[in-house]
């Protein structure tokens, strides 16, 4: 079974080199775009501390998780690109290599995101525990005040 007439691969056939190079360029720009977005939100996150505003912590945490989803999409797309490029055989070796070089960049971004998500989750847990504590203390002191007034009569 050869390639269909017309030279352009149909369906699952191997891609030509021009199509592969276009795919490498597209994959590279996707990785660069997600890299820039991730670095921006990780930069924001790194500046936050346990005493940062809870709303800021929450919105940054949400954005980190959105970037994790975007990163997974790019990773999935890259894996498909590598699989397709491999089908093109020996002539596509440089494209496979170029695509494969993008994977470690995504993995390192993923690790950075995971670290920040975990850190913010800890801050948020402490913040909500702190808020619950404050409410509990307020309730306790109100109850004590009522008891004191009752006892003083």
């Amino acid at each position: 079974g050869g390639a269909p007439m017309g030279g352009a691969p149909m369906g699952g056939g191997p891609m030509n080199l021009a199509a592969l190079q276009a795919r490498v360029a597209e994959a590279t720009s996707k990785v660069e775009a997600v890299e820039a977005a991730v670095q921006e939100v990780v930069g924001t996150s790194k500046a936050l501390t346990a005493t940062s505003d809870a709303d800021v912590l929450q919105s940054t945490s949400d954005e980190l998780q959105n970037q994790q989803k975007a990163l997974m999409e790019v990773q999935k797309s890259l894996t498909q690109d590598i699989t397709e490029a491999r089908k093109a055989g020996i002539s596509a070796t440089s494209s496979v290599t170029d695509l494969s070089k993008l994977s470690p960049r995504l993995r390192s971004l993923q690790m950075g995101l995971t670290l920040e998500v975990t850190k913010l989750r800890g801050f948020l847990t402490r913040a909500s525990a702190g808020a619950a504590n404050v409410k509990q203390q307020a309730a306790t002191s109100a109850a004590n005040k009522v008891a004191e007034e009752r006892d003083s009569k």
Side-chain angles (χ1 to χ4, degrees), residues 139-149:
T140 305
S141 81
N144 287 347
K145 201 171 279 178
V146 168
E148 282 171 25
E149 286 169 10

Side-chain angles (χ1 to χ4, degrees), residues 25-41 63 67 70-71 74 102 105-106 109 113:
E26 188 184 336
T28 302
S29 68
K30 279 184 192 173
V31 168
E32 287 167 353
V34 80
E35 202 168 33
V38 166
Q39 286 169 343
E40 186 179 328
V41 71
E63 184 54 31
Q67 288 306 324
L71 195 59
V74 173
L102 298 173
R105 285 167 68 178
L106 292 177
L109 290 171
L113 276 173

